[in-house]
Amino acid sequence: MTVHTFCNNKFRLDDPHVVDPRAGSPWSAIERAKLSRVIADGFAEPLDFPPIPQAVLKEDKIAIAVEPDTPCGLEIARLVAARFVEQGNARENITILCVDKTLDKHADFVVHDPTDSEHMAYLLADQDGVPCYVNRVLFDADIVVPIGTGDGGRRVNSLCSAFCDQETQNHLERMKPDRARALERQVDNNLGVFWQVRLVTAPGDQVLRVMVGSSESVLEKSGEFGTEVWNLNIERPADLIVATIESHCSQTWSHLRQAILNADKVATDEAV
């Protein structure tokens, strides 16, 4: 019997029958000290997009939007902001927008409140005539840069679901998936989101890839790579599954749902 540790919890299990899908992973995390260099390289050679310094004017107002549940999202946003400053943009013209209300207030970012109408601006009306308001930080910006994950071939969040008013968010939840995606694309287009930053992450908030480039390309590439990273390859189903949520940035019901779905893929019918 050997003691195995998962998320600081210890389990005494019989070794010959233990399969850890995390073991032997070919993917390695980017060292924190190297993230700045990786972002600089992404700015210089983005996917299917001109070099970022050619696409951003020095006097532009820039909004960096950190989508919910993005591991290391604020850290990456600050590095992206620093990169803009290095290429000549004024720091006072750069605003980081996020949604995590648990963060301590700080001068270098703004926390979105969907109920605060004073900080909203009308953007568009959807095909049902429902008005869509967005955070004024995005509305007033010349350049909007979303930062988020695209793991598993899908965009986990969107500007529409994260940074619109409460009524629009409620309306989005009631919409069918195809219509919701259409509204999300419409919001992106109206805000002029042509390029973005996507992360591919691993358990424990590890960042494996930082992809910069055209929205379509980085969503596709990060999704493909994320699918490879998170795909569970196990020879046979298991009777006992230990599913963990290894995230320090946030642990939500959506994380729990995904952990259960992942566990179900490798479980026998009688598994616990």
Side-chain angles (χ1 to χ4, degrees):
M1 301 290 282
T2 304
V3 174
H4 295 264
T5 301
F6 299 90
C7 289
N8 298 321
N9 295 311
K10 294 183 178 181
F11 299 84
R12 188 178 296 275
L13 302 170
D14 189 1
D15 249 8
H17 302 290
V18 174
V19 177
D20 184 354
R22 307 170 306 173
S25 171
W27 320 114
S28 58
I30 301 172
E31 296 177 19
R32 288 293 195 269
K34 296 181 179 179
L35 281 173
S36 181
R37 183 70 260 167
V38 171
I39 291 170
D41 292 343
F43 268 50
E45 297 183 5
L47 290 170
D48 300 324
F49 201 80
I52 302 306
Q54 296 180 16
V56 179
L57 301 177
K58 292 183 178 180
E59 61 271 20
D60 279 340
K61 293 181 65 175
I62 301 169
I64 302 173
V66 183
E67 295 172 2
D69 304 329
T70 301
C72 309
L74 191 55
E75 178 184 357
I76 297 294
R78 285 170 170 156
L79 292 174
V80 169
R83 185 60 202 163
F84 278 122
V85 172
E86 289 176 8
Q87 68 181 37
N89 296 94
R91 185 60 183 86
E92 58 267 25
N93 287 340
I94 304 171
T95 303
I96 297 172
L97 182 65
C98 60
V99 298
D100 191 347
K101 294 180 175 60
T102 65
L103 293 170
D104 294 331
K105 290 186 177 180
H106 197 280
D108 73 342
F109 65 83
V110 174
V111 177
H112 173 70
D113 181 355
T115 65
D116 185 0
S117 59
E118 291 186 4
H119 291 88
M120 297 289 177
Y122 173 80
L123 183 67
L124 57 87
D126 74 354
Q127 54 186 303
D128 296 322
V130 176
C132 175
Y133 293 82
V134 298
N135 192 289
R136 188 167 289 279
V137 169
L138 303 181
F139 186 83
D140 292 340
D142 301 302
I143 303 292
V144 175
V145 184
I147 296 178
T149 57
D151 297 341
R154 63 189 177 89
R155 184 172 180 175
V156 178
N157 288 289
S158 69
L159 296 182
C160 184
S161 63
F163 301 110
C164 285
D165 63 302
Q166 189 67 64
E167 184 176 346
T168 301
Q169 291 179 349
N170 294 340
H171 178 58
L172 193 66
E173 290 179 357
R174 293 190 297 266
M175 298 175 74
K176 294 182 178 180
D178 57 337
R179 295 187 65 185
R181 286 192 293 269
L183 177 57
E184 291 170 349
R185 287 193 297 268
Q186 192 177 1
V187 168
D188 281 1
N189 291 337
N190 280 37
L191 290 173
V193 178
F194 302 113
W195 66 278
Q196 53 188 277
V197 178
R198 289 285 129 186
L199 311 180
V200 177
T201 59
D205 298 336
Q206 298 181 89
V207 178
L208 305 184
R209 294 287 188 277
V210 179
M211 298 185 177
V212 181
S214 71
S215 295
E216 183 177 350
S217 293
V218 295
L219 284 169
E220 179 182 354
K221 295 297 183 183
S222 65
E224 290 175 356
F225 187 57
T227 299
E228 290 184 39
V229 171
W230 288 92
N231 189 39
L232 299 177
N233 293 312
I234 294 181
E235 293 182 2
R236 61 182 178 83
D239 296 320
L240 172 65
I241 311 294
V242 179
T244 61
I245 303 174
E246 301 180 54
S247 174
H248 304 293
C249 68
S250 63
Q251 294 187 10
T252 65
W253 288 111
S254 63
H255 290 119
L256 177 61
R257 172 182 175 274
Q258 192 59 52
I260 293 172
L261 290 174
N262 286 343
D264 185 62
K265 294 177 183 177
V266 295
T268 63
D269 293 339
E270 296 79 21
V272 294

